[in-house]
């Protein structure tokens, strides 16, 4: 018999408040009416940040998301490639790449939607859980960890490496503020399933059963 025990997250560390949101946005000169689409991770090819940039360009080119911006936080071997994509983009003023952040929480609090655009399976995807614990609605690709993490109503799944599917999903999500807020609440509730306390109790239970055999 195999028992799956997921990685835990300290959900108490990701409770956002309006002060952090306001201060982070103010420091980056972003007004309250702008919806921030956030992504974060290592800048390597399989993480799919190039697909995200193309999808966001597609979103704006299709007349959607006019009151939005795309923030990408991270570092890695694809950094210069991604920066070149942004500098060549007709929408470069709406796309910002930030360096690796040891504390992602301020960005999470300032954002309105999180995207995990991986082309290949994520082993688990802890950054997705961090976003969900921050009450962020999330979009992720249908590969690897997100399939275990997301439950009905807590986010959206799209095909990997599919610019049109991702841009359509972002357009639908950004067009409905009430749906965004409700999905964010459900995302937070789902993240609590992976809390330290629950995962620790599950682990203890497995060991107890083994000892009793």
């Amino acid at each position: 018999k195999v028992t799956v025990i997921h990685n835990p997250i300290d959900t108490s560390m990701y409770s956002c408040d309006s002060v952090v949101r306001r201060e982070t946005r103010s420091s980056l000169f972003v007004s309250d009416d702008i919806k921030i689409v956030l992504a974060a991770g290592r800048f390597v090819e399989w993480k799919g940040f190039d697909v995200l940039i193309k999808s966001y360009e597609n979103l704006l080119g299709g007349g959607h998301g006019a009151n939005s911006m795309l923030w990408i936080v991270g570092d890695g071997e694809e950094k210069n490639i991604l920066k070149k994509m942004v500098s060549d983009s007709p929408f470069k003023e709406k796309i910002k790449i930030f360096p690796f952040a040891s504390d992602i929480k301020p960005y999470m609090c300032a954002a309105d939607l999180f995207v995990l655009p991986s082309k290949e399976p994520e082993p688990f995807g802890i950054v997705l859980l961090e976003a969900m614990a921050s009450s962020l609605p999330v979009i992720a690709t249908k590969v690897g960890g997100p399939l275990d993490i997301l439950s009905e109503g807590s986010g959206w799944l799209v095909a990997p490496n599919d610019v049109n599917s991702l841009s359509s999903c972002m357009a639908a999500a950004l067009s409905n503020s009430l749906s965004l807020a409700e999905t964010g609440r459900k995302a937070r509730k789902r993240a609590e399933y992976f809390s330290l306390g629950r995962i620790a109790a599950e682990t203890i239970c497995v060991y107890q059963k083994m000892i009793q055999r």
Side-chain angles (χ1 to χ4, degrees):
K1 182 180 178 180
V2 175
T3 301
V4 177
I5 299 178
H6 296 98
N7 290 331
I9 183 172
D10 186 352
T11 53
S12 66
M13 292 179 60
Y14 294 91
S15 296
C16 291
D17 61 57
S18 58
V19 174
V20 175
R21 178 180 173 86
R22 185 172 60 250
E23 289 179 347
T24 303
R25 281 175 162 253
S26 177
S27 69
L28 295 169
F29 307 102
V30 176
S31 60
D32 292 340
D33 63 318
I34 298 297
K35 287 187 171 68
I36 299 299
V37 179
L38 176 67
R42 286 189 300 124
F43 292 164
V44 292
E45 197 275 337
W46 70 269
K47 287 286 188 177
F49 293 113
D50 57 330
V51 176
L52 175 56
I53 292 171
K54 292 174 186 175
S55 297
Y56 187 70
E57 290 175 331
N58 202 32
L59 169 82
L60 297 177
H64 303 285
N67 66 331
S68 70
M69 292 185 69
L70 172 62
W71 290 358
I72 305 176
V73 182
D75 200 358
E77 61 193 50
E78 295 274 308
K79 179 176 68 175
N80 291 335
I81 293 173
L82 297 177
K83 284 189 171 183
K84 180 70 163 53
M85 286 184 69
V86 173
S87 66
D88 290 344
S89 173
F91 306 106
K92 60 185 176 184
E93 297 303 319
K94 285 184 162 289
I95 307 172
K96 304 295 182 186
I97 294 181
F98 296 93
F100 168 79
S102 57
D103 183 7
I104 194 68
K105 293 193 293 292
Y107 292 101
M108 296 281 191
C109 289
D112 300 281
L113 176 65
F114 186 86
V115 180
L116 187 73
S118 305
K119 299 177 184 178
E120 299 176 11
E122 289 277 351
F124 186 65
I126 195 69
V127 71
L128 186 67
L129 269 182
E130 291 174 337
M132 294 169 70
S134 302
S135 299
L136 271 178
V138 297
I139 300 173
T141 49
K142 300 178 191 176
V143 285
L147 295 172
D148 291 330
I149 294 173
L150 289 181
S151 61
E152 185 176 355
S154 63
W156 301 275
L157 289 168
V158 298
N161 208 15
D162 189 329
V163 169
N164 291 331
S165 291
L166 181 52
S167 63
S168 295
C169 191
M170 286 192 291
L174 292 171
S175 67
N176 191 329
S177 295
L178 290 177
S179 176
L180 269 184
E182 178 61 21
T183 305
R185 285 190 288 271
K186 289 181 178 179
R188 169 69 191 193
K189 184 175 181 180
R190 176 60 176 168
E192 289 170 356
Y193 177 82
F194 300 90
S195 67
L196 284 172
R198 201 197 70 79
I199 298 298
E202 189 175 19
T203 304
I204 291 170
C205 182
V206 170
Y207 278 110
Q208 287 176 334
K209 288 180 179 178
M210 292 176 64
I211 291 170
Q212 290 169 1
R213 287 179 180 174

